[in-house]
Amino acid sequence: MGVVTPPKQDRSRATRRRLLEAAVSCLAEHGWAGSTVTVVAERAGVSRGAAQHHFPTREDLFTAAVEYVAEERSTALRALFPDDPGDRRAVLEALVSLYTGPLFRAALHLWVAASDEDRLRPRVTELEARVGRDAHRIAVELLAVDESRPGVRETVQGFLDMARGLGLATLLTDDSARRARVAAQWAALLDAALR
Amino acid sequence: MGVVTPPKQDRSRATRRRLLEAAVSCLAEHGWAGSTVTVVAERAGVSRGAAQHHFPTREDLFTAAVEYVAEERSTALRALFPDDPGDRRAVLEALVSLYTGPLFRAALHLWVAASDEDRLRPRVTELEARVGRDAHRIAVELLAVDESRPGVRETVQGFLDMARGLGLATLLTDDSARRARVAAQWAALLDAALR
């Protein structure tokens, strides 16, 4: 009996996913300057040619990587609260966790690089707008709030801005103890404001 | 009558200041990779030798630059509300302005570079902690709040995190219209919470 070989399309999809995940870790650990297609292909155990077949340019690879991981995390966040949001504070604390960890770190490197690199800027700007809108939509949905009420939209937006600021604070040091206290207090403020 | 020459010490101080201001603009515009002592010296109209007399290494120059400008901005912020804080919402909106513009952009480049560069990380971490404590102290002072009340400290910290998140959102696009709405809304919420 021979080994069962997965269909070609599945293998191609698995290779693509391995490349995207390796790209995010690479960007989070080494920044834009240290992240090339070659380095990522090696990390993913994929040939340079295969990597370039999936992603012709470095810009293609890294914007696709940040987008892929952001989508994965949105899906995971929605799955945490499958039916009823229920505990709004738990939702708020989960939203903060979207902005800490390797994805946010990788996205931050990509944003800063894009602010200086003309080839990267338009597509990262477009990507950031899309990811930001998606995070906002998830927040509104999980918090079950009515955005037609004056101030609700800005309240939720400001909370997500705060979560991004907390993500920034973890860039150089472990800020988790302070972050937990701030997130709990702001969850209470927001809970009161949205009632 | 000859031209009046300023004393040597004053000239040295003026040169130092020119270098620090050029360093911040350079970091904001070109990022860490594009910011060297030579580029900054040229921009400041100072010889490379004179620049190195003031700042022996690139790390010395850029950490000193971010610190200098942060101090200038703290002083300017305190001067906006000389006697009585009075309008707390105006104070909150002014605090947000600390985190937009070229200084925040330069600091962001420095933080991201420091997260990947071992020579830069310890001193940027130390600098960030100092600048963060200073911003917190100014906020508490201008808002005239009592930090011994439970939750007040975390409320103010979260607001400064939100201001940093709003600063991040201006990195790639002009976010000023949205920022003004979010800042106004949260200034109102915090004004109520801190009463």
Side-chain angles (χ1 to χ4, degrees):
Chain A
M1 239 173 60
V3 173
V4 178
T5 311
K8 199 176 165 201
Q9 207 190 326
D10 287 2
R11 269 180 294 143
S12 170
R13 205 178 294 140
T15 300
R16 190 183 148 88
R17 190 162 52 232
R18 276 219 306 285
L19 284 166
L20 295 172
E21 284 167 358
V24 165
S25 326
C26 189
L27 200 51
E29 284 170 30
H30 306 295
W32 177 252
S35 296
T36 61
V37 176
T38 306
V39 168
V40 171
E42 199 168 299
R43 187 175 189 131
V46 169
S47 74
R48 192 163 188 284
Q52 283 191 317
H53 167 74
H54 284 279
F55 303 103
T57 72
R58 190 182 177 200
E59 290 78 14
D60 291 331
L61 172 59
F62 288 96
T63 50
V66 168
E67 182 168 27
Y68 164 77
V69 182
E71 279 167 7
E72 292 281 294
R73 301 217 54 189
S74 298
T75 306
L77 185 63
R78 280 199 173 95
L80 276 181
F81 305 96
D83 301 316
D84 183 29
D87 185 352
R88 190 177 276 164
R89 291 204 201 174
V91 169
L92 289 168
E93 295 187 23
L95 284 169
V96 167
S97 75
L98 268 186
Y99 296 95
T100 48
L103 170 63
F104 184 75
R105 202 184 178 85
L108 196 55
H109 275 97
L110 194 65
W111 296 339
V112 167
S115 77
D116 302 322
E117 305 240 356
D118 290 339
R119 277 174 316 168
L120 207 48
R121 195 180 312 113
R123 63 170 84 190
V124 172
T125 303
E126 198 266 323
L127 170 65
E128 196 195 340
R130 195 138 35 95
V131 169
R133 276 195 304 271
D134 198 38
H136 185 85
R137 190 164 43 236
I138 293 176
V140 167
E141 189 182 299
L142 293 181
L143 293 169
V145 290
D146 175 6
E147 284 208 299
S148 68
R149 274 173 51 206
V152 167
R153 187 177 173 75
E154 290 73 20
T155 302
V156 173
Q157 284 183 341
F159 186 82
L160 293 175
D161 285 304
M162 191 208 65
R164 279 184 206 104
L166 287 173
L168 195 54
T170 68
L171 186 63
L172 297 174
T173 49
D174 175 10
D175 186 49
S176 52
R178 187 191 76 94
R179 182 170 70 244
R181 289 193 299 273
V182 170
Q185 172 67 10
W186 271 61
L189 288 174
L190 196 58
D191 196 28
L194 293 173
R195 224 169 252 152
Chain B
M1 238 170 61
V3 174
V4 178
T5 311
K8 199 176 167 203
Q9 206 191 326
D10 287 1
R11 269 179 294 143
S12 171
R13 205 177 296 140
T15 300
R16 189 182 148 88
R17 191 162 50 232
R18 275 219 307 286
L19 284 166
L20 294 172
E21 283 167 0
V24 164
S25 327
C26 189
L27 200 52
E29 284 170 31
H30 305 296
W32 176 251
S35 295
T36 62
V37 176
T38 307
V39 168
V40 171
E42 198 168 299
R43 189 177 187 127
V46 169
S47 74
R48 192 162 188 285
Q52 282 191 317
H53 167 75
H54 284 278
F55 303 102
T57 71
R58 189 180 176 203
E59 289 79 14
D60 292 331
L61 172 59
F62 288 96
T63 50
V66 168
E67 182 167 26
Y68 164 77
V69 181
E71 278 166 8
E72 292 281 294
R73 301 218 52 189
S74 298
T75 306
L77 185 63
R78 279 201 173 93
L80 275 181
F81 305 95
D83 300 314
D84 183 29
D87 185 353
R88 190 175 276 163
R89 290 200 202 179
V91 170
L92 287 166
E93 295 187 21
L95 284 169
V96 167
S97 74
L98 267 185
Y99 296 95
T100 49
L103 168 64
F104 183 76
R105 201 180 178 88
L108 196 55
H109 274 98
L110 194 65
W111 297 338
V112 167
S115 76
D116 303 322
E117 305 241 355
D118 290 339
R119 278 176 313 170
L120 206 49
R121 196 181 310 113
R123 64 169 85 188
V124 173
T125 303
E126 197 267 322
L127 169 65
E128 197 196 337
R130 193 140 33 97
V131 169
R133 276 194 303 272
D134 197 39
H136 186 84
R137 192 165 38 237
I138 294 176
V140 167
E141 187 183 301
L142 294 181
L143 294 169
V145 289
D146 175 7
E147 284 208 298
S148 68
R149 274 173 53 207
V152 166
R153 187 175 172 76
E154 290 74 20
T155 300
V156 173
Q157 283 183 340
F159 186 78
L160 293 174
D161 285 304
M162 192 195 75
R164 281 185 205 104
L166 288 170
L168 194 54
T170 69
L171 186 63
L172 296 174
T173 50
D174 175 11
D175 187 50
S176 52
R178 187 191 75 94
R179 183 170 68 243
R181 289 193 300 271
V182 169
Q185 171 67 5
W186 273 94
L189 289 175
L190 287 182
D191 193 28
L194 293 171
R195 227 168 249 153

